Amino acid sequence: MADTPPGSPLPPSPAAPPAPAAPPVGETPRMPLRRLGWRRFLVLAGVVLLIAACAVFMVFTLGQSLGAQALLIGVVAAILPVPVLVACFLWLDRYEPEPLKYLIFCFAWGAFVSTAASLTVNDFAANRFADWGLPSALTGVLVAPFIEELTKALGPILLLVFRRREWSGITDGLVYCGLAAVGFAMVENILYLGGLGYASGADRYGPATGIQQVIAIFILRILLFGFAHPLFTAMTGVGLGIASRTADRRIRVLAPIGGLLLAMMLHGTWNLLPTLTQATGEAMIMLYGFLGLMVPVFFGTVGLALWLRAWEGRLTERALPDYVRAGWLSPPEVAALSSLGRRHAARSWARRVAGDAGVRAMRGYQSAATRLALLRDGTLRGLDRKPADQERTAREERELLDAISAYRSFFVGRDPQAPAGVWDGSRYHLRFPDGTQRAVDAPDEPVVPIPVVLAPAPAPVGYAPPGWPGPRSAPPWPPTHP
């Protein structure tokens, strides 16, 4: 970590506001909060009411269809895998965790809004097929993939439209769409486990048979094929993630459409396999389809997710050097953000010098730095074309830099092993124990984060050309050459 001077503060550049004062011991600085205007409040209230209404509709519908006992058993069995699946997506999103409210929104949207709409449309289509003398299995092949994937994707699409700045790329698309799919699968599993499992078995042969059927369906549907819905909707997440980080309007439209169509085709193919197996009596159709199509797609998607997770960690190394050259960060700080292992080491150091409050400050620092890297990456990609968007980006950059300075100031003077040195954007100016002072070039590969003083930075990088350092004030002492 880089420290500001433990003694008198450095004179700030005229172009930069004064650095925030160090907070009291034990008080962790926080990111600036956004005000909730009346328009945002009305939109939030409308979304909450819609989700609540759909939740009441699903509880009432499932209760009438299954009965209280079957509904309770189905709920308990369907919830069991949810923490594991949610934890997988949260693990994928550790570099730049999304706001909890948006994660809950996507999960609730898939669990209630998507299931309510899909159940209504699927029932309507099944009745129409029955009136026309067609098999009801066509609903699962032709209708269910379309309406289910579309409604699951609508929640993340709304986030992309109204909260595009909360998207950092494909990883966020996988997380948002994956959680919507997990919520959808949970409620759908209640129907299967409680209805086809317990209710049908208990009505025919008693409660013991019902429990046996619940266990059998749980093993087959959840343990073996529980990845199905998240896998399908992940295709839409890839398309939405691509659209969120491109300035090309054609890609912004075509990528989500392509991902959604691919999700629908995979879903339809998955539903077609058991239909063909039942119609022909050839069990090998299901086996070949599972091993030849779904397993490769699953492992390919998992490999893509792992690669994207590592790519997101390296984003700080690509975007933050502009701030190093401008004097806002030192090279070791950027190196300490590039992997989860190094971030954990930085938090361990923070705990050693400042206790639990220091860990909270370090986590806030890492989160703000990652968001700054994403903001800079979006600037270089040209995502903000309107002057109003560029002004907003500049304001957010200023807020993030101020937050980073506040988090850094939390550690001022708390590490007795910190060397007396200044980073001015190009070289270190070190004071050695014998009193000599030297200007030292930064190493090619900074690995260990060394706490040093930062010379005052002139202004945020903003929309200046990459690498622009701007004017600089003199170091706190005249550097001497070796």
Side-chain angles (χ1 to χ4, degrees), residues 94-112:
R94 285 185 62 188
Y95 276 107
E96 199 264 329
E98 304 310 313
L100 181 60
K101 58 184 178 181
Y102 296 142
L103 301 178
I104 294 176
F105 163 76
C106 288
F107 182 86
W109 182 277
F112 303 118

Side-chain angles (χ1 to χ4, degrees), residues 226-248:
F227 64 87
H229 274 290
L231 177 63
F232 305 147
T233 316
M235 304 299 109
T236 306
V238 172
L240 294 176
I242 293 174
S244 69
R245 304 302 291 178
T246 181
D248 193 322

Side-chain angles (χ1 to χ4, degrees), residues 72 290 309 324 358-359 423 432 450:
L72 179 60
F290 178 74
R309 186 174 186 262
V324 173
V359 176
W423 169 256
F432 292 89
I450 302 175

